[in-house]
Amino acid sequence: MRLVQFELNNGERRVGVVDGEQVREVQGARTVRDLALAAIEAGVKLEQQVNSLGLGTAHDYPQLLSELRILPPLDHPDPAHLLVSGTGLTHLGSASARDKMHQQAGDETAMTDTMRIFKWGVEGGKPQSGQAGVQPEWFYKGDGSIVVRPGHPFPLPPFAEDAGEEPEISGLYVIGHDAKPYRLGFAVGNEFSDHVMERKNYLYLAHSKLRSCSFGPELRLGELPQHLSGTSRILRNGQVLWQNEFLSGEANMCHSLENLEFHHFKYSQFLRPGDVHVHFFGTATLSFADGIRTQPGDVFEISQAEFGAPLVNGIAPVDAVFNPGTIGTL
């Protein structure tokens, strides 16, 4: 089952089940978060909760997408209570990267921190279920205010040095009233980042991640397939500028999802009842690695058949929201 959140012409919200070219309203549902919390309280799966409510009015899905009435598939009425985070160096990547790792594996003093953490993940990122494996690289990206709706452009601030896509799978979670995280399912995501800034110095990674992101348009319920193959494209003036395959699923990762989830939710501050978490699981495919430099007007398109409609976003420059020397004093 795949769910979307959308708006009617009058702005009212609805939750829908994707059924081919149609979206069927879930009776009485206004948000996926409310559906999830109700399922937690009832002790049932989210799909069971949807089925218990039943489906109603049908809407034309392509029309909802073209009219930009599709919302992110999970949100929170207070954006401060939605946390966006991610993990890196989680995917096996290209053969050349693995070859490089093996060549350096005998001498850790010659390895970069990036390759060292990757090596640790290969060796200890998939422990037996119920056990903690090695920690992944982890980063904070922002709260709900940075989430861009499917079809809308990413804001490009004046201080940005790059506007790069990162095609990823994201896990979507709600914290129950029992202070326990519950995974609703997964969505295709674009973990938009500044790779030029990151390349200057790895300690700038935290800065490079403080950008917008997008995920959806659909939430896929259930477990993640072991192997996923999707396509990441960049369009410029309607023509394909760059295109490549991106792989995900545990068969293509050096960490298990259980291990990545444990090392995020082990922190008590991430277990506040009612909060929403969107966690990006990483990628091994970047146009930046192929020398591509995006620009305003370019369009990102990330597609994966298991997740339905592609995630599409553009790039649009925005004005500075704060300038040096303008802080107020009391």
Side-chain angles (χ1 to χ4, degrees):
M1 180 179 284
R2 302 196 304 274
L3 301 179
V4 294
Q5 297 190 122
F6 64 98
E7 292 176 332
L8 302 178
N9 286 323
N10 62 7
E12 291 185 7
R13 292 175 59 120
R14 294 290 187 273
V15 175
V17 173
V18 177
D19 181 13
E21 295 288 290
Q22 290 188 326
V23 169
R24 299 280 307 281
E25 287 187 23
V26 180
Q27 303 268 34
R30 298 294 179 269
T31 75
V32 168
R33 174 177 173 271
D34 287 345
L35 271 176
L37 290 173
I40 293 168
E41 290 299 301
V44 300
K45 295 290 188 181
L46 184 53
E47 184 169 351
Q48 291 176 274
Q49 183 67 21
V50 169
N51 289 334
S52 71
L53 294 173
L55 304 181
T57 305
H59 300 263
D60 184 88
Y61 190 23
Q63 182 178 358
L64 291 175
L65 287 167
S66 66
E67 294 178 355
L68 303 180
R69 289 196 277 133
I70 295 290
L71 300 165
L74 180 64
D75 55 8
H76 193 289
D78 180 356
H81 286 274
L82 187 158
L83 178 73
V84 185
S85 56
T87 47
L89 305 175
T90 55
H91 285 65
L92 295 174
S94 67
S96 61
R98 290 197 298 273
D99 286 343
K100 182 179 180 182
M101 179 196 70
H102 293 317
Q103 290 165 12
Q104 295 178 334
D107 180 12
E108 286 218 5
T109 61
M111 297 175 71
T112 64
D113 285 338
T114 296
M115 295 308 299
R116 187 173 293 113
I117 291 178
F118 179 66
K119 176 175 177 285
W120 292 345
V122 171
E123 294 173 346
K126 289 185 174 180
Q128 291 185 358
S129 182
Q131 298 184 6
V134 68
Q135 293 188 129
E137 174 197 55
W138 182 95
F139 60 86
Y140 169 74
K141 193 160 182 70
D143 62 18
S145 65
I146 69 160
V147 177
V148 174
R149 290 167 61 156
H152 285 235
F154 291 119
L156 184 65
F159 55 80
E161 300 184 56
D162 180 40
E165 87 298 335
E166 295 205 12
E168 306 188 17
I169 302 299
S170 57
L172 279 56
Y173 307 84
V174 169
I175 310 301
H177 296 303
D178 55 0
K180 177 182 175 180
Y182 291 84
R183 186 201 314 129
L184 283 62
F186 302 89
V188 167
N190 189 337
E191 196 269 291
F192 188 66
S193 299
D194 189 329
H195 301 110
V196 171
M197 181 176 293
E198 178 185 349
R199 189 174 63 176
K200 284 184 174 180
N201 189 300
Y202 195 68
L203 295 179
Y204 279 163
L205 175 70
H207 283 284
S208 74
K209 294 300 185 182
L210 293 175
R211 299 292 186 273
S212 297
C213 69
S214 189
F215 58 94
E218 303 175 24
L219 162 62
R220 183 185 188 275
L221 306 188
E223 298 300 316
L224 190 69
Q226 284 290 304
H227 172 78
L228 289 169
S229 174
T231 301
S232 179
R233 299 201 304 171
I234 301 175
L235 306 177
R236 180 172 292 172
N237 299 321
Q239 302 296 315
V240 176
L241 173 68
W242 175 88
Q243 177 173 309
N244 208 342
E245 178 186 46
F246 77 94
L247 301 176
S248 195
E250 287 191 353
N252 300 294
M253 299 171 68
C254 55
H255 284 265
S256 65
L257 291 178
E258 180 181 305
N259 192 52
L260 298 178
E261 291 172 332
F262 166 72
H263 284 296
H264 177 68
F265 289 111
K266 68 183 180 184
Y267 297 105
S268 60
Q269 63 264 43
F270 296 158
L271 298 175
R272 183 165 47 200
D275 278 8
V276 168
H277 289 251
V278 177
H279 193 74
F280 286 91
F281 290 118
T283 188
T285 303
L286 304 171
S287 66
F288 181 80
D290 292 336
I292 299 297
R293 298 296 179 269
T294 61
Q295 62 189 36
D298 289 351
V299 174
F300 302 113
E301 183 182 283
I302 299 174
S303 58
Q304 211 296 319
E306 296 277 354
F307 291 83
L311 176 63
V312 178
N313 300 96
I315 309 171
V318 295
D319 294 332
V321 296
F322 181 76
N323 291 302
T326 59
I327 193 167
T329 57
L330 297 176

